[in-house]
Short mmCIF file of all heavy atoms in Angstrom, two decimals:
data_model
loop_
_atom_site.label_atom_id
_atom_site.label_comp_id
_atom_site.label_asym_id
_atom_site.label_seq_id
_atom_site.Cartn_x
_atom_site.Cartn_y
_atom_site.Cartn_z
N MET A 1 53.52 121.95 179.28
CA MET A 1 53.55 122.26 177.78
C MET A 1 55.10 122.32 177.42
O MET A 1 55.80 122.91 178.18
CB MET A 1 52.94 123.62 177.59
CG MET A 1 52.88 123.92 176.03
SD MET A 1 51.88 125.31 175.69
CE MET A 1 50.23 124.56 176.00
N ASN A 2 55.51 121.86 176.28
CA ASN A 2 56.97 121.77 175.90
C ASN A 2 57.21 122.95 175.09
O ASN A 2 56.79 123.02 173.86
CB ASN A 2 57.08 120.47 175.16
CG ASN A 2 58.29 119.65 175.71
OD1 ASN A 2 58.89 120.15 176.56
ND2 ASN A 2 58.38 118.45 175.22
N LEU A 3 57.90 123.90 175.59
CA LEU A 3 58.35 125.05 174.75
C LEU A 3 59.82 124.99 174.66
O LEU A 3 60.64 124.68 175.53
CB LEU A 3 57.90 126.37 175.47
CG LEU A 3 56.54 126.59 175.55
CD1 LEU A 3 56.23 127.85 176.44
CD2 LEU A 3 55.84 126.74 174.21
N HIS A 4 60.38 125.36 173.47
CA HIS A 4 61.85 125.40 173.16
C HIS A 4 62.25 126.71 172.67
O HIS A 4 61.52 127.40 171.94
CB HIS A 4 62.18 124.21 172.23
CG HIS A 4 61.76 122.87 172.63
ND1 HIS A 4 62.51 122.19 173.64
CD2 HIS A 4 60.75 122.09 172.24
CE1 HIS A 4 61.83 121.02 173.90
NE2 HIS A 4 60.84 120.94 173.10
N THR A 5 63.45 127.05 172.87
CA THR A 5 64.05 128.28 172.28
C THR A 5 63.90 128.25 170.73
O THR A 5 64.15 127.21 170.15
CB THR A 5 65.48 128.46 172.74
OG1 THR A 5 65.62 128.46 174.07
CG2 THR A 5 66.11 129.73 172.19
N GLY A 6 63.43 129.30 170.19
CA GLY A 6 63.25 129.33 168.74
C GLY A 6 61.83 128.99 168.24
O GLY A 6 61.48 129.25 167.08
N ASP A 7 61.03 128.49 169.08
CA ASP A 7 59.53 128.23 168.74
C ASP A 7 58.89 129.57 168.47
O ASP A 7 59.18 130.58 169.09
CB ASP A 7 58.90 127.45 169.89
CG ASP A 7 59.27 125.97 169.93
OD1 ASP A 7 60.08 125.53 169.03
OD2 ASP A 7 58.79 125.36 170.89
N ILE A 8 57.89 129.53 167.51
CA ILE A 8 57.08 130.64 167.21
C ILE A 8 55.68 130.34 167.84
O ILE A 8 55.08 129.30 167.51
CB ILE A 8 57.00 130.87 165.71
CG1 ILE A 8 58.32 131.07 165.08
CG2 ILE A 8 56.06 132.10 165.43
CD1 ILE A 8 59.01 132.30 165.51
N LEU A 9 55.21 131.20 168.68
CA LEU A 9 53.91 131.05 169.40
C LEU A 9 52.83 132.07 168.82
O LEU A 9 53.17 133.16 168.51
CB LEU A 9 53.98 131.34 170.81
CG LEU A 9 55.15 130.62 171.59
CD1 LEU A 9 55.05 131.00 172.98
CD2 LEU A 9 54.90 129.12 171.44
N LYS A 10 51.58 131.60 168.63
CA LYS A 10 50.45 132.47 168.38
C LYS A 10 49.65 132.59 169.60
O LYS A 10 49.21 131.68 170.11
CB LYS A 10 49.67 131.94 167.16
CG LYS A 10 48.54 132.83 166.65
CD LYS A 10 47.86 132.32 165.48
CE LYS A 10 46.76 133.31 165.13
NZ LYS A 10 46.00 132.84 163.97
N LEU A 11 49.51 133.86 170.11
CA LEU A 11 48.82 134.11 171.31
C LEU A 11 47.40 134.59 171.03
O LEU A 11 47.09 134.99 169.88
CB LEU A 11 49.46 135.17 172.15
CG LEU A 11 50.93 134.73 172.50
CD1 LEU A 11 51.56 135.76 173.52
CD2 LEU A 11 50.99 133.40 173.25
N LYS A 12 46.46 134.59 172.03
CA LYS A 12 45.08 134.98 171.90
C LYS A 12 44.90 136.43 171.64
O LYS A 12 44.12 136.87 170.80
CB LYS A 12 44.39 134.56 173.19
CG LYS A 12 44.13 133.21 173.44
CD LYS A 12 43.40 132.86 174.64
CE LYS A 12 43.22 131.44 174.96
NZ LYS A 12 42.52 131.14 176.19
N LYS A 13 45.64 137.25 172.35
CA LYS A 13 45.44 138.73 172.21
C LYS A 13 46.73 139.30 171.40
O LYS A 13 47.77 138.89 171.56
CB LYS A 13 45.45 139.42 173.59
CG LYS A 13 44.24 139.08 174.39
CD LYS A 13 44.23 139.82 175.69
CE LYS A 13 42.99 139.51 176.44
NZ LYS A 13 42.94 140.33 177.71
N PRO A 14 46.38 140.34 170.56
CA PRO A 14 47.45 140.93 169.79
C PRO A 14 48.37 141.92 170.59
O PRO A 14 47.86 142.50 171.55
CB PRO A 14 46.68 141.74 168.65
CG PRO A 14 45.43 142.05 169.27
CD PRO A 14 45.05 140.85 170.25
N HIS A 15 49.52 142.09 170.14
CA HIS A 15 50.47 143.09 170.71
C HIS A 15 49.97 144.44 170.12
O HIS A 15 49.26 144.45 169.11
CB HIS A 15 51.85 142.75 170.21
CG HIS A 15 52.93 143.63 170.84
ND1 HIS A 15 53.65 144.50 170.14
CD2 HIS A 15 53.37 143.70 172.09
CE1 HIS A 15 54.52 145.13 170.91
NE2 HIS A 15 54.38 144.66 172.04
N PRO A 16 50.21 145.55 170.79
CA PRO A 16 49.82 146.83 170.21
C PRO A 16 50.20 147.14 168.79
O PRO A 16 49.55 147.92 168.14
CB PRO A 16 50.30 147.80 171.23
CG PRO A 16 50.47 147.16 172.59
CD PRO A 16 50.73 145.60 172.20
N CYS A 17 51.31 146.45 168.38
CA CYS A 17 51.78 146.69 166.95
C CYS A 17 50.84 145.94 165.97
O CYS A 17 51.03 146.11 164.76
CB CYS A 17 53.26 146.36 166.88
SG CYS A 17 53.53 144.55 166.87
N GLY A 18 49.99 145.00 166.52
CA GLY A 18 49.13 144.33 165.65
C GLY A 18 49.47 142.86 165.43
O GLY A 18 48.73 142.10 164.78
N SER A 19 50.62 142.36 165.93
CA SER A 19 51.13 141.04 165.75
C SER A 19 50.55 140.09 166.65
O SER A 19 50.41 140.37 167.97
CB SER A 19 52.68 140.99 165.81
OG SER A 19 53.14 139.67 165.74
N PHE A 20 50.29 138.89 166.33
CA PHE A 20 49.87 137.79 167.23
C PHE A 20 50.93 136.83 167.45
O PHE A 20 50.81 135.92 168.28
CB PHE A 20 48.67 136.97 166.70
CG PHE A 20 47.33 137.69 166.78
CD1 PHE A 20 46.94 138.56 165.74
CD2 PHE A 20 46.47 137.60 167.86
CE1 PHE A 20 45.74 139.20 165.73
CE2 PHE A 20 45.27 138.29 167.97
CZ PHE A 20 44.86 139.05 166.82
N THR A 21 52.07 136.89 166.79
CA THR A 21 53.11 135.92 166.84
C THR A 21 54.31 136.39 167.57
O THR A 21 54.80 137.57 167.55
CB THR A 21 53.60 135.47 165.46
OG1 THR A 21 53.97 136.60 164.75
CG2 THR A 21 52.37 134.77 164.73
N TRP A 22 54.85 135.44 168.41
CA TRP A 22 56.05 135.74 169.23
C TRP A 22 57.06 134.69 169.17
O TRP A 22 56.69 133.53 168.97
CB TRP A 22 55.57 135.89 170.79
CG TRP A 22 54.70 136.96 171.05
CD1 TRP A 22 53.30 137.02 170.68
CD2 TRP A 22 54.99 138.23 171.50
NE1 TRP A 22 52.84 138.21 171.20
CE2 TRP A 22 53.86 138.91 171.65
CE3 TRP A 22 56.16 138.75 172.04
CZ2 TRP A 22 53.80 140.25 172.10
CZ3 TRP A 22 56.11 140.09 172.51
CH2 TRP A 22 54.99 140.86 172.56
N GLU A 23 58.42 134.91 169.28
CA GLU A 23 59.39 133.84 169.29
C GLU A 23 59.94 133.82 170.68
O GLU A 23 60.11 134.69 171.33
CB GLU A 23 60.62 134.47 168.41
CG GLU A 23 61.76 133.36 168.38
CD GLU A 23 62.90 133.89 167.48
OE1 GLU A 23 62.88 135.02 166.91
OE2 GLU A 23 63.92 133.26 167.48
N VAL A 24 60.13 132.44 171.07
CA VAL A 24 60.58 132.19 172.41
C VAL A 24 62.10 132.38 172.39
O VAL A 24 62.82 131.81 171.62
CB VAL A 24 60.28 130.72 172.76
CG1 VAL A 24 60.88 130.27 174.13
CG2 VAL A 24 58.83 130.46 172.74
N LEU A 25 62.59 133.29 173.28
CA LEU A 25 64.06 133.42 173.39
C LEU A 25 64.70 132.68 174.67
O LEU A 25 65.81 132.28 174.58
CB LEU A 25 64.25 135.00 173.68
CG LEU A 25 63.90 135.86 172.48
CD1 LEU A 25 64.14 137.30 172.84
CD2 LEU A 25 64.56 135.49 171.17
N ARG A 26 63.93 132.55 175.69
CA ARG A 26 64.42 131.87 176.87
C ARG A 26 63.26 131.12 177.57
O ARG A 26 62.19 131.57 177.59
CB ARG A 26 64.99 132.96 177.82
CG ARG A 26 65.64 132.37 179.04
CD ARG A 26 66.14 133.42 179.91
NE ARG A 26 65.75 132.96 181.35
CZ ARG A 26 65.55 133.82 182.30
NH1 ARG A 26 65.59 135.05 182.19
NH2 ARG A 26 65.29 133.36 183.45
N THR A 27 63.64 129.94 178.16
CA THR A 27 62.55 129.19 178.81
C THR A 27 62.89 128.93 180.27
O THR A 27 64.18 129.22 180.59
CB THR A 27 62.36 127.81 178.11
OG1 THR A 27 63.52 127.07 178.11
CG2 THR A 27 61.78 127.95 176.77
N GLY A 28 62.03 128.62 181.10
CA GLY A 28 62.24 128.38 182.54
C GLY A 28 61.00 128.67 183.29
O GLY A 28 59.83 128.40 182.68
N MET A 29 61.03 129.14 184.50
CA MET A 29 59.83 129.47 185.22
C MET A 29 59.20 130.69 184.56
O MET A 29 58.02 130.82 184.49
CB MET A 29 60.15 129.85 186.72
CG MET A 29 60.48 128.56 187.40
SD MET A 29 59.04 127.39 187.45
CE MET A 29 57.82 128.31 188.43
N ASP A 30 60.01 131.60 183.99
CA ASP A 30 59.54 132.73 183.22
C ASP A 30 60.00 132.51 181.78
O ASP A 30 61.15 132.01 181.51
CB ASP A 30 60.18 134.02 183.83
CG ASP A 30 59.69 134.45 185.20
OD1 ASP A 30 58.56 134.13 185.50
OD2 ASP A 30 60.49 135.00 185.89
N ILE A 31 59.16 132.94 180.91
CA ILE A 31 59.58 132.75 179.42
C ILE A 31 59.76 134.15 178.81
O ILE A 31 58.95 135.01 178.92
CB ILE A 31 58.40 132.17 178.69
CG1 ILE A 31 57.86 130.82 179.41
CG2 ILE A 31 58.76 131.82 177.25
CD1 ILE A 31 58.76 129.73 179.35
N ARG A 32 60.88 134.35 178.11
CA ARG A 32 61.23 135.61 177.46
C ARG A 32 60.73 135.42 176.00
O ARG A 32 61.12 134.48 175.29
CB ARG A 32 62.61 136.01 177.46
CG ARG A 32 62.98 137.39 176.77
CD ARG A 32 64.33 137.73 176.91
NE ARG A 32 64.79 138.14 178.21
CZ ARG A 32 64.50 139.23 178.87
NH1 ARG A 32 63.91 140.20 178.19
NH2 ARG A 32 64.91 139.46 180.07
N LEU A 33 59.93 136.43 175.54
CA LEU A 33 59.38 136.42 174.22
C LEU A 33 59.82 137.66 173.44
O LEU A 33 59.94 138.64 174.02
CB LEU A 33 57.82 136.34 174.23
CG LEU A 33 57.15 135.13 174.87
CD1 LEU A 33 55.73 135.33 175.04
CD2 LEU A 33 57.51 133.88 174.22
N ARG A 34 59.97 137.50 172.08
CA ARG A 34 60.19 138.63 171.22
C ARG A 34 59.06 138.79 170.11
O ARG A 34 58.76 137.72 169.44
CB ARG A 34 61.53 138.54 170.57
CG ARG A 34 61.85 139.83 169.62
CD ARG A 34 63.20 139.81 169.02
NE ARG A 34 63.34 138.54 168.32
CZ ARG A 34 64.66 137.97 168.23
NH1 ARG A 34 65.63 138.43 168.70
NH2 ARG A 34 64.81 136.86 167.52
N CYS A 35 58.50 139.92 170.01
CA CYS A 35 57.43 140.12 169.02
C CYS A 35 58.11 140.00 167.59
O CYS A 35 59.18 140.56 167.37
CB CYS A 35 56.93 141.51 169.21
SG CYS A 35 55.62 141.94 167.91
N THR A 36 57.40 139.26 166.64
CA THR A 36 58.06 139.01 165.35
C THR A 36 57.99 140.20 164.46
O THR A 36 58.60 140.29 163.42
CB THR A 36 57.42 137.87 164.70
OG1 THR A 36 55.92 138.06 164.64
CG2 THR A 36 57.70 136.50 165.50
N VAL A 37 57.16 141.24 164.81
CA VAL A 37 57.08 142.40 163.99
C VAL A 37 57.86 143.53 164.43
O VAL A 37 58.66 144.13 163.71
CB VAL A 37 55.46 142.87 163.89
CG1 VAL A 37 55.33 144.17 163.14
CG2 VAL A 37 54.67 141.83 163.24
N CYS A 38 57.72 143.97 165.73
CA CYS A 38 58.48 145.17 166.23
C CYS A 38 59.72 144.85 167.02
O CYS A 38 60.35 145.80 167.47
CB CYS A 38 57.47 146.04 167.02
SG CYS A 38 56.89 145.34 168.55
N SER A 39 59.91 143.55 167.35
CA SER A 39 61.11 143.06 168.04
C SER A 39 61.15 143.46 169.64
O SER A 39 62.15 143.41 170.23
CB SER A 39 62.40 143.42 167.49
OG SER A 39 62.54 142.90 166.24
N ARG A 40 59.94 143.84 170.11
CA ARG A 40 59.83 144.25 171.59
C ARG A 40 59.95 142.88 172.35
O ARG A 40 59.51 141.90 171.93
CB ARG A 40 58.51 144.92 171.84
CG ARG A 40 58.18 145.08 173.23
CD ARG A 40 58.87 146.29 173.88
NE ARG A 40 58.49 147.50 173.24
CZ ARG A 40 58.89 148.68 173.55
NH1 ARG A 40 59.61 148.86 174.72
NH2 ARG A 40 58.54 149.72 173.00
N GLN A 41 60.63 142.92 173.46
CA GLN A 41 60.81 141.72 174.28
C GLN A 41 60.02 141.85 175.66
O GLN A 41 60.07 142.95 176.19
CB GLN A 41 62.26 141.50 174.60
CG GLN A 41 63.13 141.14 173.39
CD GLN A 41 64.59 140.77 173.68
OE1 GLN A 41 64.96 140.63 174.83
NE2 GLN A 41 65.33 140.82 172.64
N ILE A 42 59.41 140.75 176.03
CA ILE A 42 58.71 140.69 177.23
C ILE A 42 59.05 139.37 178.01
O ILE A 42 59.51 138.44 177.39
CB ILE A 42 57.27 140.76 177.08
CG1 ILE A 42 56.68 139.62 176.31
CG2 ILE A 42 56.83 142.18 176.42
CD1 ILE A 42 55.19 139.49 176.23
N MET A 43 58.83 139.36 179.36
CA MET A 43 58.90 138.15 180.10
C MET A 43 57.66 137.90 180.75
O MET A 43 57.00 138.82 181.33
CB MET A 43 60.00 138.30 181.20
CG MET A 43 61.35 138.06 180.69
SD MET A 43 62.59 137.93 182.01
CE MET A 43 62.67 136.17 182.24
N LEU A 44 57.11 136.69 180.64
CA LEU A 44 55.91 136.34 181.25
C LEU A 44 56.12 135.01 182.10
O LEU A 44 56.87 134.15 181.76
CB LEU A 44 54.83 135.97 180.20
CG LEU A 44 54.29 137.07 179.36
CD1 LEU A 44 53.44 136.54 178.29
CD2 LEU A 44 53.59 138.06 180.20
N PRO A 45 55.33 134.89 183.28
CA PRO A 45 55.34 133.63 183.99
C PRO A 45 54.88 132.48 183.08
O PRO A 45 53.92 132.79 182.28
CB PRO A 45 54.44 133.82 185.09
CG PRO A 45 54.31 135.28 185.25
CD PRO A 45 54.48 135.93 183.85
N ARG A 46 55.45 131.39 183.20
CA ARG A 46 55.04 130.20 182.36
C ARG A 46 53.53 129.90 182.47
O ARG A 46 52.83 129.59 181.45
CB ARG A 46 55.79 128.98 182.72
CG ARG A 46 55.46 127.65 182.10
CD ARG A 46 56.21 126.53 182.41
NE ARG A 46 57.61 126.61 181.94
CZ ARG A 46 58.10 126.14 180.82
NH1 ARG A 46 57.20 125.49 179.98
NH2 ARG A 46 59.28 126.21 180.40
N LYS A 47 52.98 129.98 183.71
CA LYS A 47 51.51 129.58 183.83
C LYS A 47 50.61 130.57 183.09
O LYS A 47 49.67 130.17 182.50
CB LYS A 47 51.21 129.65 185.38
CG LYS A 47 49.89 129.14 185.72
CD LYS A 47 49.66 129.14 187.27
CE LYS A 47 48.39 128.59 187.53
NZ LYS A 47 48.05 128.57 188.97
N GLN A 48 50.94 131.83 183.21
CA GLN A 48 50.10 132.78 182.50
C GLN A 48 50.29 132.64 180.91
O GLN A 48 49.29 132.76 180.25
CB GLN A 48 50.58 134.24 182.82
CG GLN A 48 49.81 135.33 182.11
CD GLN A 48 50.35 136.67 182.55
OE1 GLN A 48 51.28 136.88 183.33
NE2 GLN A 48 49.82 137.76 181.94
N LEU A 49 51.49 132.43 180.41
CA LEU A 49 51.63 132.25 178.99
C LEU A 49 51.04 130.97 178.49
O LEU A 49 50.34 131.14 177.36
CB LEU A 49 53.18 132.13 178.76
CG LEU A 49 53.58 131.90 177.30
CD1 LEU A 49 53.18 133.08 176.41
CD2 LEU A 49 55.08 131.58 177.12
N GLU A 50 51.01 129.90 179.21
CA GLU A 50 50.39 128.66 178.74
C GLU A 50 48.91 128.82 178.59
O GLU A 50 48.30 128.08 177.74
CB GLU A 50 50.72 127.49 179.66
CG GLU A 50 52.15 127.06 179.61
CD GLU A 50 52.52 125.89 180.52
OE1 GLU A 50 51.65 125.53 181.41
OE2 GLU A 50 53.63 125.40 180.34
N LYS A 51 48.27 129.59 179.31
CA LYS A 51 46.84 129.90 179.10
C LYS A 51 46.52 130.64 177.90
O LYS A 51 45.37 130.66 177.34
CB LYS A 51 46.25 130.67 180.36
CG LYS A 51 46.15 129.88 181.61
CD LYS A 51 45.45 130.48 182.70
CE LYS A 51 45.63 131.93 182.90
NZ LYS A 51 44.94 132.51 184.09
N ASN A 52 47.44 131.48 177.42
CA ASN A 52 47.27 132.44 176.32
C ASN A 52 47.76 131.91 174.99
O ASN A 52 47.58 132.62 173.97
CB ASN A 52 47.87 133.82 176.60
CG ASN A 52 47.27 134.49 177.73
OD1 ASN A 52 46.01 134.42 177.92
ND2 ASN A 52 47.92 135.16 178.50
N ILE A 53 48.26 130.71 174.86
CA ILE A 53 48.79 130.14 173.65
C ILE A 53 47.67 129.50 172.84
O ILE A 53 46.89 128.71 173.34
CB ILE A 53 49.87 129.11 173.96
CG1 ILE A 53 51.11 129.73 174.52
CG2 ILE A 53 50.29 128.46 172.65
CD1 ILE A 53 52.17 128.83 175.00
N LEU A 54 47.57 129.91 171.48
CA LEU A 54 46.66 129.27 170.55
C LEU A 54 47.29 128.19 169.81
O LEU A 54 46.74 127.20 169.56
CB LEU A 54 45.98 130.26 169.64
CG LEU A 54 45.02 131.25 170.19
CD1 LEU A 54 44.50 132.26 169.02
CD2 LEU A 54 43.77 130.57 170.72
N ASP A 55 48.53 128.48 169.37
CA ASP A 55 49.22 127.56 168.38
C ASP A 55 50.73 127.66 168.65
O ASP A 55 51.27 128.70 169.03
CB ASP A 55 48.82 127.83 167.03
CG ASP A 55 49.42 126.82 166.02
OD1 ASP A 55 49.55 125.69 166.34
OD2 ASP A 55 49.65 127.27 164.82
N ILE A 56 51.46 126.53 168.53
CA ILE A 56 52.89 126.50 168.55
C ILE A 56 53.46 126.00 167.21
O ILE A 56 53.01 124.93 166.71
CB ILE A 56 53.46 125.51 169.71
CG1 ILE A 56 52.91 125.94 171.04
CG2 ILE A 56 54.99 125.46 169.62
CD1 ILE A 56 53.28 125.01 172.08
N GLN A 57 54.25 126.85 166.60
CA GLN A 57 54.95 126.48 165.32
C GLN A 57 56.42 126.32 165.55
O GLN A 57 57.01 127.23 166.03
CB GLN A 57 54.66 127.64 164.26
CG GLN A 57 53.19 127.96 164.12
CD GLN A 57 53.05 129.26 163.40
OE1 GLN A 57 53.88 129.98 163.06
NE2 GLN A 57 51.77 129.56 163.04
N LYS A 58 56.90 125.25 165.18
CA LYS A 58 58.27 124.96 165.28
C LYS A 58 59.17 125.68 164.32
O LYS A 58 58.71 125.79 163.17
CB LYS A 58 58.67 123.43 165.20
CG LYS A 58 57.96 122.62 166.16
CD LYS A 58 58.41 122.79 167.63
CE LYS A 58 57.62 121.94 168.52
NZ LYS A 58 57.85 122.21 169.96
N LYS A 59 60.23 126.36 164.77
CA LYS A 59 61.12 127.01 163.85
C LYS A 59 61.92 126.04 163.02
O LYS A 59 62.43 125.06 163.59
CB LYS A 59 61.99 127.94 164.56
CG LYS A 59 62.76 128.95 163.76
CD LYS A 59 63.42 129.93 164.57
CE LYS A 59 64.08 131.05 163.68
NZ LYS A 59 64.66 132.09 164.39
N ALA A 60 61.95 126.23 161.74
CA ALA A 60 62.66 125.41 160.81
C ALA A 60 64.16 125.42 161.02
O ALA A 60 64.75 126.31 161.47
CB ALA A 60 62.28 125.68 159.37
#
């Protein structure tokens, strides 16, 4: 799956703050994401993240 810095992802499960959308901050074997509502940052392995993506929206 092709992910780029700045992409907005919609994931299957919501963050505890209620948001489903995350911004990609860093790519590689691990992906760093930032919640678009509360700005919390997490790192997930690429394989785990790819299973949980519903939609990819390119940032303008």
Side-chain angles (χ1 to χ4, degrees):
M1 185 171 290
N2 237 353
L3 296 174
H4 302 286
T5 303
D7 288 352
I8 304 295
L9 306 178
K10 183 174 181 183
L11 301 183
K12 291 180 183 176
K13 292 186 179 181
H15 189 245
C17 72
S19 173
F20 284 90
T21 56
W22 296 80
E23 179 183 0
V24 176
L25 298 178
R26 186 183 136 207
T27 58
M29 287 299 294
D30 294 325
I31 310 289
R32 181 175 294 277
L33 301 173
R34 179 175 58 211
C35 179
T36 57
V37 174
C38 68
S39 298
R40 174 77 63 173
Q41 293 184 14
I42 62 168
M43 277 189 97
L44 291 174
R46 179 180 286 271
K47 187 175 182 179
Q48 181 182 356
L49 178 65
E50 287 179 350
K51 290 192 318 185
N52 292 325
I53 294 176
L54 284 179
D55 188 28
I56 300 176
Q57 304 165 353
K58 301 293 180 187
K59 191 169 184 179

